[in-house]
């Protein structure tokens, strides 16, 4: 990492007067501005797609959530409301989460009607977010710093969790946040606002993130513009959670309000609960560590507070830690904050080099603790006899059939059949008519409460169904009246 002083004139930085090379700074800068970031983004696109596609190929993807989102995008491609049979009969998914931006995937799905289409799009969206971060990092401190930022961000555990756990609408939020925050860090307030606004169409809680961006713009830039953006973001979240989602939800309310308890804790107890158990502090540490803790030196990191607030006050323990996709939207915030901390000055090479080393070491460690390491495990590349048996039995189900499937088989059928689940979660909205086909895998442990397989082994059958074939722990049944 070269010791680069930031010139007072920003035009001097763009000409490469103090770049990584002597005399050819302008050429180097022109090369890094697009070519290298796009190459790094392309590398991560292949990594992300390989991970998610191979997981799907060996039946590790799930009905919750790849199956659900496949059904949603399939509905948009048919010019119908976003129904998901996995959620319930004629269940409009806009009553679950507010994500109309998914309609943008409909044209691609129309041409390539497959769950793999969603995985390709998610990999592309997530990988592209590397580009604005690398371009800004290169402007700030040169090529090596840009490569560190791009590689550390692209391999970060939050993005790895997103691409490994099927598909989620927040894949759209990742590049939008990267573009908005890089613009805000540069003081390009119009672009920061323009890229932030579409976040209100990604998920209902992201309106609060938009409000946080608006407050930052009001603090550092044009006050009126920032305040208007903050009002838009907060108002969008309120409208979506209090009006739109209850309107489409079968029970007429937002589906994710905390359950009422007879002994409601006081406000002080609730506030204290936001800092306990210690896994929440571990999550905060894991957010800052991949940046070498540089993110802690920038006010841009405050934009992550709304996401952390709802997660840490949630009664759902899955929201507190580093698993699943919940931290994906924080990764571009953290790394944009790290670049911004360097852009502000005051960090010379003696401080920057150790920070980058800590970040790189953290990324290397999390490679083995989070899903990217699956790329080098035999499980991802070996089709076992159980997988082959499941695929053979799945092929016996005709297109367009109604099917009840266990969690890890539901996603395999969602793009060609009407799929509900056997026992994924307790069903609030059971199907109006039993499915014609039933297929499940006794080895599926993605839902620990699922007891259908053991019940079948204990009773010797499922009422109303006849066994077509049982092989390698996978059972295919069909309704007896068919």
């Amino acid at each position: 990492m070269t010791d680069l002083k930031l010139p007072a004139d920003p035009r001097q930085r763009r000409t490469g007067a103090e770049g990584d090379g002597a005399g050819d700074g302008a050429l180097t800068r022109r090369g890094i501005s697009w070519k290298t970031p796009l190459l790094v983004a392309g590398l991560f696109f292949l990594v992300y797609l390989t991970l998610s596609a191979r997981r799907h190929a060996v039946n590790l993807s799930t009905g919750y959530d790849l199956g659900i989102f496949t059904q949603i995008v399939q509905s948009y491609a048919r010019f119908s409301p976003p129904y998901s049979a996995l959620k319930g009969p004629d269940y409009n998914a806009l009553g679950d989460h507010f994500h109309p931006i998914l309609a943008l995937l409909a044209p691609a799905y129309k041409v390539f009607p497959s769950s793999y289409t969603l995985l390709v799009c998610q990999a592309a969206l997530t990988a592209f977010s590397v580009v604005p971060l690398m371009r800004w990092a290169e402007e700030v401190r040169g090529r090596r710093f840009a490569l560190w930022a791009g590689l550390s961000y692209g391999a970060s555990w939050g993005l790895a969790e997103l691409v490994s756990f099927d598909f989620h609408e927040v894949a759209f939020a990742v590049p939008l946040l990267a573009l908005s925050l890089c613009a805000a860090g540069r003081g390009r307030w119009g672009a920061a606002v323009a890229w932030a606004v579409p976040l209100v169409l990604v998920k209902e809680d992201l309106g609060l993130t938009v409000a946080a961006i608006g407050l930052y713009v009001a603090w550092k830039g044009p006050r009126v513009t920032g305040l208007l953006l903050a009002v838009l973001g907060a108002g969008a979240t309120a409208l979506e959670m209090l009006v739109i989602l209850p309107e489409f939800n079968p029970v007429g309310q937002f589906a994710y309000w905390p359950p009422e308890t007879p002994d409601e804790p006081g406000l002080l107890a609730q506030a204290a609960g936001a800092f306990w158990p210690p896994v929440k502090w571990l999550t905060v540490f894991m957010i800052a560590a991949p940046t070498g803790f540089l993110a802690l030196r920038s006010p841009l990191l405050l934009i992550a507070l709304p996401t952390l607030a709802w997660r840490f006050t949630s009664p759902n323990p899955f929201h507190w830690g580093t698993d699943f996709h919940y931290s994906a939207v924080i990764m571009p915030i953290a790394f944009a904050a790290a670049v911004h901390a360097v852009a502000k000055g005051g960090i010379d090479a003696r401080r920057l080099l150790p920070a980058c080393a800590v970040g790189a070491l953290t990324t290397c460690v999390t490679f083995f603790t989070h899903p990217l390491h699956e790329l080098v495990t035999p499980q991802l590349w070996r089709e076992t006899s159980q997988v082959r048996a499941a695929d053979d039995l799945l092929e016996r189900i005709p297109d367009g059939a109604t099917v009840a499937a266990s969690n890890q088989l539901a996603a395999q059928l969602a793009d060609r059949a009407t799929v509900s689940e056997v026992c994924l979660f307790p069903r609030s909205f059971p199907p109006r008519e039993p499915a014609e086909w039933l297929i499940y895998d006794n080895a599926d442990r993605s839902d620990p409460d699922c007891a259908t397989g053991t019940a079948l082994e204990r009773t010797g059958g499922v009422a109303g169904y006849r066994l077509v074939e049982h092989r390698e722990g996978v059972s295919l049944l069909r309704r007896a009246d068919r």
Side-chain angles (χ1 to χ4, degrees):
M1 193 73 63
T2 54
D3 186 3
L4 299 177
K5 297 179 181 178
L6 297 177
D9 185 355
R11 291 173 299 178
Q12 187 181 9
R13 289 203 301 274
R14 280 193 285 269
T15 62
E18 298 190 13
D20 277 337
D24 62 345
L27 178 61
T28 300
R29 188 164 305 279
R30 284 196 298 270
I32 192 72
S33 293
W34 286 109
K35 183 178 180 180
T36 303
L38 288 174
L39 286 174
V40 173
L43 168 67
F44 280 114
F45 169 73
L46 295 176
V47 170
Y48 298 156
L49 181 58
T50 301
L51 177 61
S52 58
R54 284 303 306 167
R55 285 181 58 85
H56 188 49
V58 295
N59 299 343
L60 292 176
S61 56
T62 60
Y64 274 67
D65 289 304
L66 181 58
I68 289 175
F69 284 107
T70 298
Q71 292 175 339
I72 291 171
V73 176
Q74 185 182 72
S75 296
Y76 280 130
R78 295 171 176 172
F79 302 100
S80 75
Y83 294 124
S84 174
L86 278 162
K87 295 291 293 183
D90 297 328
Y91 188 103
N92 190 323
L94 291 178
D96 185 51
H97 287 298
F98 188 75
H99 38 47
I101 200 167
L102 291 174
L104 295 178
L105 300 181
Y109 189 89
K110 191 75 173 178
V111 178
F112 304 103
S114 168
S115 295
Y116 284 104
T117 300
L118 276 66
L119 301 179
V120 171
C121 292
Q122 177 172 260
L125 289 165
T126 308
F128 175 77
S129 64
V130 172
V131 175
L133 280 166
M134 285 193 66
R135 294 191 68 212
W136 184 26
E138 192 274 341
E139 291 177 7
V140 168
R141 193 54 73 94
R143 177 171 53 191
R144 295 180 183 177
F145 181 60
L147 286 171
W148 171 83
L151 294 173
S152 297
Y153 167 74
S156 62
W157 60 268
L159 299 186
E161 289 287 349
L162 170 65
V163 298
S164 72
F165 184 47
D166 299 350
F167 175 91
H168 291 278
E169 70 277 82
V170 295
F172 281 95
V174 172
L176 289 172
L177 281 167
L179 289 162
S180 178
L181 295 178
C182 289
R186 289 180 170 110
R188 299 175 182 174
W189 307 114
V193 171
W195 289 116
V197 169
L199 288 167
V200 302
L201 303 177
V202 177
K203 196 164 173 276
E204 63 276 1
D205 64 279
L206 287 173
L208 300 179
T209 301
V210 173
I213 295 173
L215 292 176
Y216 180 86
V217 172
W219 176 23
K220 299 292 186 178
R223 180 171 301 176
V224 174
T225 300
L227 292 176
L228 287 175
L229 181 63
V231 171
L232 171 67
T237 289
L239 178 66
E240 291 161 13
M241 294 178 64
L242 300 177
V243 179
I244 298 176
L245 290 168
E247 174 66 24
F248 290 104
N249 189 278
V251 298
Q253 66 181 25
F254 178 54
Y256 298 97
W257 290 125
E260 296 183 4
T261 58
D263 299 321
E264 190 71 24
L267 291 177
L268 186 60
Q270 293 183 48
F275 300 96
W276 195 261
V279 65
K280 298 176 182 178
W281 290 103
L282 176 62
T283 298
V284 174
F285 174 84
M286 290 289 289
I287 290 168
T291 71
F293 302 99
L294 290 171
L296 298 176
R297 302 170 65 99
S298 168
L300 277 178
L301 190 60
L302 295 173
I303 293 171
L305 287 180
T307 297
L308 291 176
W310 77 256
R311 286 178 57 188
F312 288 174
T313 57
S314 167
N316 186 349
F318 287 136
H319 294 157
W320 305 339
T322 60
D323 293 331
F324 306 112
H325 60 286
Y326 302 112
S327 296
V329 297
I330 298 182
M331 292 296 104
I333 300 175
F335 277 88
V339 176
H340 185 235
V342 178
K344 292 190 304 176
I347 303 179
D348 57 22
R350 289 186 305 169
R351 298 178 181 179
L352 183 57
L353 186 57
C356 291
V358 169
L361 178 61
T362 302
T363 301
C364 291
V365 171
T366 57
F367 175 86
F368 295 99
T369 60
H370 287 76
L372 285 183
H373 78 277
E374 294 180 14
L375 288 168
V376 294
T377 59
Q379 179 188 22
L380 204 67
W381 300 98
R382 184 176 63 240
E383 289 192 359
T384 64
S385 58
Q386 192 272 344
V387 171
R388 290 192 294 270
D391 291 344
D392 289 344
L393 295 180
L394 287 167
E395 289 180 0
R396 298 183 64 172
I397 300 174
D399 293 352
T402 58
V403 188
S406 54
N407 193 19
Q408 290 185 331
L409 297 180
Q412 307 297 323
L413 292 161
D415 52 10
R416 65 180 186 87
T418 301
V419 187
S420 59
E421 84 286 0
V422 177
C423 55
L424 185 57
F425 293 116
R427 288 300 295 267
S428 300
F429 313 103
R432 297 189 181 94
E433 182 181 358
E436 179 182 356
W437 296 86
L438 189 154
I439 186 168
Y440 66 86
D441 179 4
N442 280 340
D444 187 348
R445 297 292 181 264
S446 59
D447 175 17
D449 297 326
C450 182
T452 298
T454 57
L456 180 65
E457 292 174 350
R458 185 171 60 251
T459 63
V462 175
Y465 286 85
R466 61 179 177 84
L467 181 65
V468 176
E469 187 173 353
H470 176 84
R471 198 190 330 163
E472 298 286 343
V474 182
S475 298
L476 177 65
L477 302 91
R478 191 175 186 184
R479 273 174 53 181
D481 59 0
R482 299 298 178 91

